[in-house]
Amino acid sequence: MQAARLRLIRELGRYIGCYDRDAADLNGSLYQQISRDLAGAQRLRQVLDKLGGYPEWDEGLVQEVDCYVRLLSEGQRRARLLGKELDAALEDPRWPARSNGP
């Protein structure tokens, strides 16, 4: 489960970074994206639900996200904003299965 969690946090950082390439405060940018009435806001709420709240960002991961986003072309950045990578991380099979009943 830890590997799935790290994957989701990394993809979340990349997603946020594609919206705001100069985001020094990823959780602040995440909050702004959720607060807006955007199509991706529901997806971001699902991510926070899966993570159990706003993640803590390791400095190394923040630098990795920044470097990754800066190397994307404009087309690649727009493609990532569709959220397919984030959806895949949400559906990672390494997450424990949720029980639907007793």
Side-chain angles (χ1 to χ4, degrees), residues 11 14-15 68 72 76-83 85:
E11 291 302 337
R14 291 174 176 179
Y15 183 84
Y68 180 87
L72 294 176
Q76 291 170 319
R77 190 184 67 77
R78 282 194 308 260
R80 287 195 67 84
L81 289 174
L82 295 174
E85 293 85 355

Side-chain angles (χ1 to χ4, degrees), residues 4-12 50-51 86 89 95:
R5 180 178 175 75
L6 291 174
R7 176 185 180 193
L8 184 57
I9 291 171
R10 177 174 284 116
E11 291 302 337
L12 176 61
K50 187 78 104 173
L51 293 174
L86 200 51
W95 287 106

Side-chain angles (χ1 to χ4, degrees), residues 13-61:
R14 291 174 176 179
Y15 183 84
I16 295 166
C18 285
Y19 269 111
D20 184 0
R21 284 183 258 192
D22 296 320
D25 176 12
L26 291 173
N27 281 342
S29 293
L30 174 57
Y31 177 79
Q32 288 177 348
Q33 292 303 317
I34 290 175
S35 298
R36 296 177 185 164
D37 189 23
L38 300 172
Q42 179 58 33
R43 177 185 292 118
L44 295 174
R45 285 186 198 96
Q46 290 174 336
V47 170
L48 291 181
D49 182 52
K50 187 78 104 173
L51 293 174
Y54 284 83
E56 291 185 31
W57 298 96
D58 173 87
E59 184 60 35
L61 181 56

Side-chain angles (χ1 to χ4, degrees), residues 60-84:
L61 181 56
V62 172
Q63 290 177 352
E64 176 189 321
V65 165
D66 182 59
C67 223
Y68 180 87
V69 171
R70 290 188 188 283
L71 292 175
L72 294 176
S73 69
E74 187 61 26
Q76 291 170 319
R77 190 184 67 77
R78 282 194 308 260
R80 287 195 67 84
L81 289 174
L82 295 174
K84 293 183 183 201

